[in-house]
Amino acid sequence: MARKILCVAEKPAIARAVATHLSGGSFQTHAIRGNQYVKNYEFDFNFGGAWGNCSVTMTSVVGHLTGLDFDRQYRGWMSCPPGMLFEAPVQETVDQDKLPIADNIRNQAKYAKALFIWTDCDREGEHIGSEVRNQAKAGNARIEVKRAKFSNTESAHVRRAALEPVNLDEYQANAVAARIELDLRIGAAFTRLQTLQLQTVVAALKEKVISYGSCQFPTLGFVVDRYLRVKNFKPETFWGIKVILNREGKKVNFLWRRVHLFDRAVVTMMLERCLTAKQAKVTKVNQKPTSKWRPLPLTTVDLQMMGSRFLRLDSQTIMKVAEGLYTKGFISYPRTETDQFDKAIDLKKLIEKQYPDNAWGQYARELIDGKFRTPRSGRHNDKAHPPIHPVSWVSPNQLNSNEKKVYEFVVRRFLACCSEDAKGKSTEIEIQYGEEFFHANGLIVLERNYLDVYVYDKWESSQQLPNFELGESFEPTEANIFEGKTTAPNYLTEPELIGLMDANGIGTDATMAEHIAKIKEREYVATNQRGSGRTSVQELIPTRLGVALVEGYDNVVTGLPNSVSLSKPFLRKEMELRMLEICSGTKTRQEVVQQSLDMYREVFIHTQRRINMLKDACRKYLVESATS
DNA sequence: GCAAGGTC
């Protein structure tokens, strides 16, 4: 009898895709008892080498199988002082709703010679792989464990992954295990401490859960930080000089090199010197070709930021829609940090698939007929997934309106990546007038190239400048002082917040939108619509509670050496660096857990000792609110 | 009643 190999993917959609490719399309599908999504697919496949022809059962989990929690006696909020949660025993158990899936793996493993793990090729995937392995080993202690390494579900790529399995990366799995333990202990300890302490302070907080999380709090911190900058903003008046020349029927505006100054008397004096000089002299005539670069290949963070801005969908909606487009096989995996295309990927074939489209099919054809350019490469590569791109064409009438928007964006972005930069000619004229320098700039767009398909970028020709000779002198038509006021920054928008989270390593591409939703749910922040119509944006404003928490924690650590406020992203960043050390083998999981716990425990002790600062902040913002 | 991370 042929040997049996059990294959387990991270999600049902991948199990099905891999089964389709390995079997050539003919396989048997079996439902499993207790879960409507997971299926077992059976077929034969020749793995080559020592394995040869095997009968395969391909199945999946649905994300993580297990969860970590405290031992039962520590789960009640009054069962122990919150600080004990830094040491309380924890246990990993299969989630209640995942029991049938775990059963399925144990049962299937009994008859299998080997287990091939087909989880996503990222850190979490490696940990999910270890969870799968544990179940398989529990069903069959002698089962051999291999891992298929693949980063997309293109047929040839999948088949090669099956023929060249590697081993599970224990380091990466351990890094995730450390992350899970730290998030649980730290999150639960601080959440219980602050909830129990603050609930009694003001009536508004009674019954409320005031959660702390290593990602939620820095996210809140960014919102409050911007809010305070807006609130504390004091407008200042400034003055500048503008010079105008009418020539060849055109009005040229020269801008001051110094832009503006905050002292009116000084500006007046400088203008007088200009006027005294009478003649301005052309000191630079610069004409040079310029270009506007086509965009980089699309990452998740970019999709969320651009999407919020141009498609008017919030980041959670965009991800949900993109997820659906991926599951239906229209676009590639939407969670990726990679902004460079692998050389092996056949971009032209993907472009050809867009020929049937009414809006951009013609553009796709022109690319293939000679305008194709190899995409630029960004600096990120998660080594797991390619940039987001369309994998097949879908007729717009098969999509709902949100799907249409997101799909169109992904396609246009992809075609733009494979296009030539936009080309233009820029002109810069510099003049010296008295002792001051001024300049005027002109732009002529010569070739739009990628701009024709990427309608989200704007690059327009400006008014053409008249001719100037280097060294020539002229008397300006007008020169005078203008006055202005500095304006306050705006409240944070969602795309800006995602950008900050990304830059500071807060959350993953898959969870950033959830953290934002969480701090809204906790009523730490609220949204407000700024402007109306097409130009409106959602802005994030902290509630009184949100401001109180950040101010309270900032006060807790002021004056203490080496302690960083929980509202800042630094602690989380450090945790991330330590996870990387586990991945590279320079630190063990235990070392990292202990070190990180020590760091957070220190902040915890300060917080307990100075809990009044937190309480005072809540009183200050929340009691006043009752009367105002 | 707590976290963040997978996925449905």
Side-chain angles (χ1 to χ4, degrees), chain A residues 75 97 114 230 244 268 279 300 306 308 325 359 373 411 414 447 449 465 521 530-531 536 588:
Chain A
R75 288 186 206 165
D97 57 330
V230 174
I244 292 168
T268 309
Q279 294 278 310
T300 305
M306 304 303 278
S308 286
L325 291 169
R373 295 289 178 276
V411 176
F414 173 68
E447 299 170 40
N449 295 326
L465 296 177
E521 178 196 326
R530 182 205 315 156
S536 74
T588 67

Side-chain angles (χ1 to χ4, degrees), chain A residues 241-243 267-280 433-436 438 475-481:
Chain A
I241 302 173
K242 67 174 175 187
V243 175
V267 176
T268 309
M269 192 188 72
M270 287 172 165
L271 174 66
E272 267 161 23
R273 281 195 199 151
C274 292
L275 295 172
T276 311
K278 280 228 155 76
Q279 294 278 310
Y433 189 27
E435 282 161 46
E436 299 304 308
F438 301 82
E475 187 172 341
T477 317
E478 249 183 71
N480 39 43
I481 287 190

Side-chain angles (χ1 to χ4, degrees), chain A residues 411-423:
Chain A
V411 176
R412 288 187 182 274
R413 173 67 169 246
F414 173 68
L415 295 176
C417 286
C418 298
S419 306
E420 178 71 272
D421 295 341
K423 304 277 185 198

Side-chain angles (χ1 to χ4, degrees), chain A residues 26 37 50 52 56 128 194 249 258 296 326 337 360 473 480 579 593 605 609:
Chain A
S26 75
Y37 302 108
V56 181
I128 294 170
Q194 67 189 23
R258 299 182 198 266
L296 283 170
Y326 161 68
E337 294 170 28
W360 55 75
S473 292
N480 39 43
M579 281 169 68
V593 170
I605 290 168
R609 212 175 274 156

Side-chain angles (χ1 to χ4, degrees), chain A residues 329-347:
Chain A
F330 300 142
I331 67 170
S332 64
Y333 192 64
R335 291 197 287 255
T336 175
E337 294 170 28
T338 307
D339 53 12
Q340 39 190 249
F341 279 107
D342 196 281
K343 287 192 177 44
I345 188 168
D346 191 346
L347 297 169

Side-chain angles (χ1 to χ4, degrees), chain A residues 491-512:
Chain A
Y491 293 120
L492 210 57
T493 61
E494 192 171 285
E496 288 175 321
L497 178 55
I498 289 172
L500 284 170
M501 293 171 76
D502 185 46
N504 287 280
I506 301 302
T508 69
D509 42 19
T511 60
M512 283 187 272

